[in-house]
Each structure stands twice: as structure tokens, then as C-alpha cells.
Amino acid sequence: MHETDRQQEIFSTLEKGGLRIEPGRLLRSAFAVSGGSPARTEPFRKGWISIQDEASQAISLLLDVHAGDHVLDLCAAPGGKTAPLVRAAREKGLVVAADRHEHRLRAMRDQFERLGLRNVRLVELDATQALPFSEKFQRILVDAPCSGTGTLARHPEIRWRLELGQLAELHRLQVAMLTSAACQLAPGGRLVYSTCSIEAEENEAVVADVLAGDRTLRRVSSSEAARALLSHLVEGTAPVEFFDGDGQFSTAPGEILTDGFFAGILTRDS
């Protein structure tokens, strides 16, 4: 079925179920629904749609995966960012989705089964340690565990749960994960480090610390990073609006009704 026809069928089915549909504010492929639960609809059961914040959807696009790429998603659970990576790598590509906890890997396996995704390998590992891979990857995503302060609008309880000193501990873990991931990056490849935090300790400071320890890594320029989003944004939205002078991506909660996300985009010189 053609993509446009599939989209029309999805919208028609959702509307018949009483849901209201609005276009996405950031991405052309996204849409918002209200008036019911999309997880209880036929398009969801058939794997035609998934539920994910628009800024979160953009993170996978920043990796700019091509058909045939070997991709590592180092902190993959629950798998929302992994699925588009598998589709972009296609049958000749390889996607390794890793997580520390077996029960989260089982949940991802169920998710991929619903979506009809087969070309993905699940691996249980501790991302803060040296990784057990002999090969290098062209694309690596580190969607790191974080404080989640970019999601306060949906999870206001975070403000009461976050304790003094927790950001420093998270920073240490995030640096360890990004360092481990960088060791697996092929020359000329791309690594995206992301969080749903708006704290500099978890974002810019993590990237800066890892770059200081590895002189063969560098940031991707803002213009080069923005090209990955160019064809995906809604009409009238300029991708450079979301990048700073160091090529780092961010969204602010409330501006376009997304969560607050950060992404540092790195490459390794040949």
C-alpha cells in the first residue's frame, strides 16, 4: 500500500473510532490525537502507528541512517527510537538494540513484534563498561538515562523526586556511556547523544567532557546536522532553529508542545 493511502486509512479508522486528529507541529509524519486512547485502536494493534513525543521522534532522524548501515542503539528500551532506525537501515542493514535489563529487552521484543520488525538483534549489557563488539558501527545512538526534567509538563512529580547530588551522579554515568559508545564508532560515522533533560550537566557538559578525552571525535556542524531534518519538518519550519553554534539540537518544553530534548551529534575523523 502506498504511504499516502496508508495514512488516509489510518486517519479514517481513528476518526471512525471517535478520535480527533491534528497535524504535527514539528514533523510531517507526526500527528496528534485526542478524544480517546490510540493504543486501543486497530492501527496501533497492527503496528501502523506508535505513540511518541515529536521531539523524541526527531532524535532518530538526527542519526541519518542509510540503507545497509550497521547501527547500535545503546540504551534502546522501550524501543521507540529503535524502530525508525531499523526501517531506515532496511534488510541489508544491521541494528543492535541494547539494554541493561532483561525484562526491558522482553518488552522491546514484544514491541518489535507488533511493528513487524525482524532485522534487529537484542543484547543485554552494561553500557557504562567496555562494549563486547568486535566491529565498529556507522551509526550509534546513546539515548541516555537522565533526570527527565524536559518532561516535567507530563511528569510533574520529577521536581519532588530529584535530589541534591543526583545530577552529578547522572553526569558520571552518562560520560561513561558516551565514552563506551564512542569507542565503537567507525571513522566517518555519526554518534547522537540525547537526553530528555534540560540540564547542562547532563547535556553540553557530558559532550564536552567526552570530547576533551578523545581528540579524534568532533561535533558535527549545525548546517550538516540540520540537513538530516530538512525533509522531515513541517512546511515553514527551518531546521537551523533547533541547533546552537556547536551543532547541538534542543527543543524547549511548551514552544511547540513537545518535551524538552537535547542531542549532541558527533563524528570521528578518518
Side-chain angles (χ1 to χ4, degrees), residues 80-92:
K81 296 182 182 67
T82 315
L85 304 180
V86 177
R87 296 189 185 103
R90 299 187 183 179
E91 293 81 4
K92 292 186 178 180

Side-chain angles (χ1 to χ4, degrees), residues 25-264:
R25 293 171 177 258
L26 179 64
L27 301 174
R28 295 179 183 180
S29 60
F31 59 94
V33 298
S34 58
S37 172
R40 297 177 179 174
T41 65
E42 183 181 8
F44 184 87
R45 289 193 297 271
K46 289 184 174 181
W48 294 353
I49 62 172
S50 292
I51 304 168
Q52 190 178 17
D53 181 82
E54 277 193 84
S56 180
Q57 295 176 45
I59 298 298
S60 298
L61 299 174
L62 291 171
L63 208 55
D64 195 27
V65 174
H66 299 122
D69 278 347
H70 285 198
V71 184
L72 172 62
D73 188 351
L74 194 54
C75 306
K81 296 182 182 67
T82 315
L85 304 180
V86 177
R87 296 189 185 103
R90 299 187 183 179
E91 293 81 4
K92 292 186 178 180
L94 169 68
V95 176
V96 176
D99 196 83
R100 185 173 183 174
H101 302 289
E102 183 182 358
H103 71 279
R104 288 167 66 85
L105 290 170
R106 288 198 300 269
M108 272 202 297
R109 188 175 291 109
D110 293 341
Q111 165 91 319
F112 299 150
E113 183 69 25
R114 178 182 71 84
L115 296 172
L117 301 177
R118 303 285 185 269
N119 194 28
V120 56
R121 300 180 186 178
L122 304 183
V123 177
E124 183 180 350
L125 55 76
D126 181 353
T128 65
Q129 305 299 315
L131 301 180
F133 305 113
S134 58
E135 73 163 290
K136 304 294 185 182
F137 294 84
Q138 286 100 9
R139 297 289 188 268
I140 301 178
L141 174 61
V142 182
D143 185 38
C146 67
S147 64
T149 54
T151 68
L152 278 170
R154 290 188 295 110
H155 302 290
E157 71 280 3
I158 289 174
R159 71 176 72 247
W160 311 117
R161 207 170 55 214
L162 195 60
E163 298 178 359
L164 188 66
Q166 190 174 347
L167 289 181
E169 175 61 16
L170 285 166
H171 174 89
R172 184 186 68 80
L173 292 172
Q174 290 155 350
V175 168
M177 290 178 179
L178 184 52
T179 300
S180 295
C183 291
Q184 299 296 147
L185 184 64
R190 177 172 291 197
L191 190 163
V192 170
Y193 167 79
S194 70
T195 73
C196 57
S197 167
I198 55 175
E199 313 305 319
E201 296 94 327
E202 300 183 86
N203 297 333
E204 294 90 347
V206 171
V207 174
D209 281 0
V210 172
L211 287 173
D214 189 338
R215 297 299 182 183
T216 66
L217 283 176
R218 64 172 176 83
R219 294 182 178 91
V220 170
S221 70
S222 57
S223 59
E224 185 180 355
R227 276 198 293 272
L229 290 183
L230 190 59
S231 64
H232 300 281
L233 297 177
V234 298
E235 188 175 353
T237 302
V240 292
E241 296 176 12
F242 302 99
F243 296 89
D244 65 14
D246 289 323
Q248 295 171 140
F249 171 90
S250 64
T251 56
E255 287 185 356
I256 48 175
L257 301 181
T258 69
D259 288 336
F261 265 85
F262 168 88

Side-chain angles (χ1 to χ4, degrees), residues 12-29:
S12 175
T13 303
L14 294 176
E15 288 170 342
K16 286 177 182 176
L19 277 71
R20 295 182 295 276
I21 298 172
E22 296 180 9
R25 293 171 177 258
L26 179 64
L27 301 174
R28 295 179 183 180
S29 60

